[in-house]
Amino acid sequence: MNLPLFPLNTVLFPGCVLDLQIFEARYLDMISRCMKQGSGFGVVCIIEGAEVGDAASHFAAIGCEARVCDFQQRPNGLLGIRVEGGRRFRVERAQVLPDQLTIADVQWLDAPEERPLRGEHADLAALLLALAQHPLVAGLGMTELPEGQWQLANQLAYLLPLEPQQKLQLLQMDDPEQRLDQLQAMVERLQGDGA
């Protein structure tokens, strides 16, 4: 499967919402094509390089599909889009086109079966509810409590102030229970650091 990539300094997770401002020609063309075809594009985290200018020289091998769910012209004249994370994927091979857009052959990763939240997840669910009160999170419309472990893990991994490498490690994990255990450990470390 061929997928246009949008390397960013962020890690997108399935079911999570991201607002973007588009101003570079390569990405305006990409978004236009995606909207006409009803298809998505891939968000991959930049390891080395910048979001603007030449194609990022090094980005994560795992990413998340982004589907445009809303768009509008911003007061500054730029195109604002809101995307929602779809399926995870692994980059098999990538190439940079003459317009500096990166296209990749990707392998889609299966989403695990959703499992219900359990008693031991109460603290993490409470943390997500607290995060949902933040104006930025509320502005994204991410205020509903997830129904299962996979959704809870995705939303916490996306919203918590973790390092990009930690987020990528979580994105790669297929087992929601393991991911929630890992998140619990990361939260305890964050609290230990006084965050």
Side-chain angles (χ1 to χ4, degrees), residues 65-87:
E65 173 188 34
R67 293 194 160 271
V68 179
C69 47
D70 197 11
F71 66 95
Q72 71 205 50
Q73 198 76 29
R74 291 277 167 86
N76 59 9
L78 302 180
L79 174 66
I81 64 168
R82 173 166 284 188
V83 299
E84 184 172 341
R87 300 170 288 176

Side-chain angles (χ1 to χ4, degrees), residues 159-175:
L159 294 173
L160 284 171
L162 302 169
E163 294 297 316
Q165 286 298 358
Q166 292 175 301
K167 290 185 182 238
L168 287 168
Q169 180 191 350
L170 290 163
L171 186 64
Q172 285 183 54
M173 296 174 91
D174 291 328
D175 185 322

Side-chain angles (χ1 to χ4, degrees), residues 8-188:
L8 293 169
N9 291 319
T10 193
V11 180
L12 182 63
F13 282 80
C16 296
V17 177
L18 176 65
D19 285 336
L20 296 169
Q21 285 196 91
I22 312 293
F23 54 89
E24 290 187 81
R26 60 182 160 167
Y27 295 128
L28 288 166
D29 291 346
M30 176 190 79
I31 297 299
S32 171
R33 271 195 308 276
C34 286
M35 289 172 72
K36 280 183 191 137
Q37 296 165 359
S39 60
F41 58 92
V43 170
V44 286
C45 183
I46 295 172
I47 309 286
E48 202 177 290
E51 288 183 348
V52 179
D54 287 347
S57 54
H58 192 53
F59 50 80
I62 189 164
C64 184
E65 173 188 34
R67 293 194 160 271
V68 179
C69 47
D70 197 11
F71 66 95
Q72 71 205 50
Q73 198 76 29
R74 291 277 167 86
N76 59 9
L78 302 180
L79 174 66
I81 64 168
R82 173 166 284 188
V83 299
E84 184 172 341
R87 300 170 288 176
R88 297 174 307 148
F89 61 83
R90 187 170 304 287
V91 176
E92 305 273 305
R93 194 173 58 248
Q95 72 178 85
V96 178
L97 301 180
D99 69 354
Q100 292 296 302
L101 182 69
T102 303
I103 299 280
D105 287 331
V106 301
Q107 176 192 353
W108 296 109
L109 302 176
D110 292 332
E113 202 173 303
E114 189 60 280
R115 293 184 221 144
L117 294 175
R118 297 212 306 270
E120 67 259 31
H121 304 131
D123 286 352
L124 290 174
L127 176 59
L128 184 61
L129 276 177
L131 287 170
Q133 304 304 310
H134 191 284
L136 287 175
V137 179
L140 292 172
M142 291 180 59
T143 55
E144 288 181 28
L145 186 63
E147 293 164 17
Q149 296 176 22
W150 180 242
Q151 285 182 326
L152 178 63
N154 282 329
Q155 291 190 22
L156 275 176
Y158 180 61
L159 294 173
L160 284 171
L162 302 169
E163 294 297 316
Q165 286 298 358
Q166 292 175 301
K167 290 185 182 238
L168 287 168
Q169 180 191 350
L170 290 163
L171 186 64
Q172 285 183 54
M173 296 174 91
D174 291 328
D175 185 322
E177 193 114 23
Q178 275 184 327
R179 211 196 260 190
L180 287 170
D181 289 347
Q182 185 76 20
L183 274 162
Q184 185 71 52
M186 288 174 171
V187 166
E188 284 164 13

